[in-house]
Amino acid sequence: MNLPSNLLPAYSLSQRNTLGFEVEAEFAIHITEAKQIAETLVYAKDHNMPYQVLGGGSNVVLPSALPGLTLLMDIAGIEIVSEDANGVSLKVGAGVSWHSLVIWTLEHSYPGLENLALIPGTVGAAPIQNIGAYGVEINDYINSVEAFDSQAMQWITLDRAHCQFSYRHSLFKANPLRYIISAVNLYLPKQWQPRISYVDLQHFFAGKENDSITPLAIFEAVCEIRTQKLPDPKQIGNVGSFFQNPIVENSMLAKLKQRHPAIVAYPEDTNHSKLAAGWLIDHCGFKGLRTGNVGVHDKQALVLIHHGGGNANELLQLAERIQKTISEQFEIDLQVEPIIFNA
Ligand code: FAD
Ligand code: NAP
């Protein structure tokens, strides 16, 4: 097989997954321009090679060997498409780091993304699970998503309504590998309201003058809170929350509350509530546990960690053990949030 010169054989992804697992891609390719996506997928199809897509590797569990082609999404660029008194439209390349985009918007006096500060990963991956934190989701700001549809083998632009965004979910997550995102188009309105309903932010701003609660102040607060509470992937491997917060019917919550009065839950809609999965895991005694090379973070039980020298199997065994216990204790099936890649 004649390989294009930009395919990198036996490429180490150890620095490109925040769990810090030792991973080798059979072939990797840096995607720095949108047109390369189509070319690479045609090549993969012609040569009957499997492929996968990687942003910053902060929401994936990778096996030690990834067969076929791994597309490393490195498309740069933040472009102001239009701006008026009401808001600004931006086109952002899939490979731009999410946190650097948040900083860029605040430096240009475009507020809105401050609650989403310090989320690792790339802009292209943000729509996949509709990233969210402190009561804000990226879909609030998405105008459209530009992608190559690997099924139809054509470029498409999906407007927000077609992206089927919901809680940590989207059309993209429901159809793995079908849509390779090249750019995300955002609209940031200039009218701004602080969103500080989460208790950590309330505490942070307690007693402060309203005038001091600016987008930049919220950005700094979020960075400070997250730095204290979450493990830094550079120090200790993790992918953030390992399980989604389960959404249950209110009747189920009422039943659970009888047995566990301290259970933590938030209203989701009129008939449903969201349970804090971290509380469930903590309640079952997993917080701070270490087993072999993996464990559960001691400040947030929703975060599974890798101490070094471990692998996906070890981590997934711990995840299964937690799921089994939660199912037995609460009759709730915890869903894994990150994407598990097959070997
Ligand atoms: P990757 O992990 O590389 O990929 C994730 C998935 O998206 C994979 O299926 C991959 O194939 C696909 N993908 C990536 N790029 C593209 C593309 N261009 N086109 C098509 N598919 C693509 N998430 C939250 O929602 N909120 C948080 O507050 C949050 N906090 C976190 C904190 C920490 C410490 C960590 C480690 C993770 C956290 N996460 C959070 C999870 C993660 O950061 C996000 O899901 C992020 O969007 C993943 O981006 P990524 O570029 O690393 O994606
Ligand atoms: P937290 O504030 O301790 O809250 C625990 C859980 O309760 C969160 O998961 C959150 O749900 C929910 N919650 C808290 N206050 C709420 C409110 N006022 N209304 C509705 N739901 C509320 O959580 P944390 O661990 O410190 O994380 C802070 C934020 O960062 C959260 O939004 C969390 O989702 C986000 N985060 C996400 C990841 C990830 O990988 N997905 C990793 C770290 C942090 P929600 O999760 O729905 O917000």
Side-chain angles (χ1 to χ4, degrees), residues 133-134 167-168 198 229-230 240-241 245 266 274 300 337:
Y134 301 100
Y167 181 62
R168 303 292 191 269
Y198 275 45
K229 209 168 174 182
L230 290 168
S241 307
N245 290 323
Y266 297 87
K274 178 179 67 182
Q300 170 49 289
E337 185 173 285

Side-chain angles (χ1 to χ4, degrees), residues 58-59 115 119-120 129 131-137 167-168 197-200 202 225-226 229-230 238-243 245 264-268 274-279 299-300 302-303 337:
S58 65
N59 209 30
N115 290 44
I119 298 181
Q129 74 160 10
I131 57 166
Y134 301 100
V136 175
E137 290 180 344
Y167 181 62
R168 303 292 191 269
S197 65
Y198 275 45
V199 80
D200 284 347
Q202 275 180 21
I225 294 163
R226 290 183 72 113
K229 209 168 174 182
L230 290 168
N238 75 93
V239 280
S241 307
F242 206 85
F243 302 102
N245 290 323
V264 177
Y266 297 87
E268 182 64 12
K274 178 179 67 182
L275 303 180
W279 185 91
K299 294 203 186 82
Q300 170 49 289
L302 202 44
V303 179
E337 185 173 285

